[in-house]
Amino acid sequence: MDDTYYIGYTSDINIRMEEHKKGINCKYSRARGFKKLEIYYSTKERKDAMKLEAFLKKLTRANKTKLIENPNLLFDKYFIDKNKYNICLNL
C-alpha cells in the first residue's frame, strides 16, 4: 500500500467501495491497496461528478489533504457551486 489518493466517480458508492476493498474492477486499488474512504461528494448529475473528478485530480496532494481536513474548502476556496454537491464523510 502507498499513501496516494484515489479520485473517481461512481453511480453506486457502496458497490464501488466493495470493489476497491476486494481489488475487483479497479487496477489502481489492486496495485496500490485500499485503506479507507476519506470523503466523497454526491451529486444528482453524472456530468457534475465528472467535472468535479477532473478538477480534483488536478489539485496538488497538499490541497487534496486540505480538502479532506476541511471539505467545505471545495466551496469556499475553489468556488464550486454548493447547490450541485453534498459532502458525505461516512458511508
Side-chain angles (χ1 to χ4, degrees):
M1 275 191 226
D2 63 19
D3 289 328
T4 59
Y5 293 130
Y6 171 82
I7 295 173
Y9 73 92
T10 183
S11 60
D12 190 317
I13 189 71
N14 293 310
I15 291 173
R16 192 65 177 144
M17 288 299 93
E18 285 303 311
E19 290 174 341
H20 279 291
K21 290 175 187 174
K22 295 176 182 175
I24 301 170
N25 296 327
C26 184
K27 293 178 188 177
Y28 185 94
S29 59
R30 187 170 46 246
R32 298 175 181 253
F34 175 80
K35 291 182 184 177
K36 67 178 181 171
L37 176 66
E38 294 285 354
I39 187 171
Y40 72 98
Y41 297 89
S42 66
T43 185
K44 293 178 183 175
E45 300 290 331
R46 181 177 179 207
K47 67 180 182 175
D48 293 327
M50 294 173 75
K51 286 179 185 177
L52 183 59
E53 176 192 29
F55 171 78
L56 293 173
K57 284 184 173 183
K58 292 177 185 175
L59 294 178
T60 64
R61 178 177 175 78
N63 284 331
K64 291 172 189 171
T65 301
K66 288 177 185 176
L67 273 178
I68 291 168
E69 293 167 354
N70 182 1
N72 282 311
L73 283 177
L74 184 68
F75 312 118
D76 300 339
K77 182 176 179 180
Y78 299 110
F79 307 107
I80 301 294
D81 186 352
K82 288 182 182 183
N83 297 316
K84 291 186 179 181
Y85 303 96
N86 294 314
I87 300 170
C88 306
L89 299 175
N90 298 309
L91 281 178

